[in-house]
Amino acid sequence: MASKKILVTGAFGQIGTVLVETLINKYGYDNVVASDLAPENKLDSLYEPLNILDSARFKEVIVKHDIREIYHMAALLSAVGESKPLYCWDVNFGAFLALLELAKSTGVEKVFFPSSIAVFGPSTPQFNTPQESPLVPSTVYGVSKVAGELWSNYYYMKYGLDVRSVRYPGIIGYQTMPGGGTTDYAVDIFHQAILKGHFDCFLSENTRLPMMYMEDAIRATIELMEAPAEKLTVRYSYNLSAFDFTPQEIYNEIKKHIPEFTIEYQPDFRQAIADSWTKSIDDSKAREDWGWKPEFSLESMVEDMIIQLKQKYSK
Ligand code: SER
């Protein structure tokens, strides 16, 4: 495998942390540069502190390490975005547009843009949502992701910049905690089940959302980035799916492993966000174009999460 310098922004985030470790295992320590806001590195990797809103500093990091690929994971999630809409736009979209411009004038050849099920809105078909669907989201997070998708496609068409993207469903992993999202409950529920045997859920029991295990999400990301360019027919963002469930369904599944586990439902403002998203996703285009196939089902994900977290908490 030819070496290439990779930059991961948002490297301390829920997905970024696991992505950096996986990329290092794959491409070698010296080929992966992690970056995030904090002055000190929290990972076992090369590191550059970087505020993505500072494009001069962004350029400095790219040039210093002769970066060829960027996984742009830095973003605010849906719930926190609603409390700071303009800031969310600047971080999620303004910084991304600056990145696309930088990529044109430096040696960056490939960019990964994480989009989301949040691009969908009330006018999108709710079940088995097609690749080509109306994108009229009701959150600023969703608006920023739709804009990111469209500009990714534009830079590909106009300048030939190799931008690739998936619409992540809610991501569940034992390695890291999400922060400020609407699907966060599906991670927290495991921690609370093991630590307290009780969970207060901020979504109502029948709120169905598309979800995916971290292992599959990381594999999808890297498989898309490694796919031959000529196979890719979607340059805005690929629908991506594994399974979908409601809080009640995941509770029932966890209860099989922790029989004394209890749950209460106290929906808050995040309920409206979840209700505006679709419930299941048709990802046949990703399957056709670059061979995407999830490995984890709801059952195998729950089983693995509980084994991994019990191990983590017993240390
Ligand atoms: N998981 C994200 C959120 O809940 C959506 O992409 O905000």
Side-chain angles (χ1 to χ4, degrees), residues 77-79 116-118 141 168-171 180-184 277:
L77 289 181
S78 58
S116 160
I117 51 165
Y141 175 78
Y168 287 125
I171 306 298
T182 302
T183 58
D184 296 14
W277 294 348

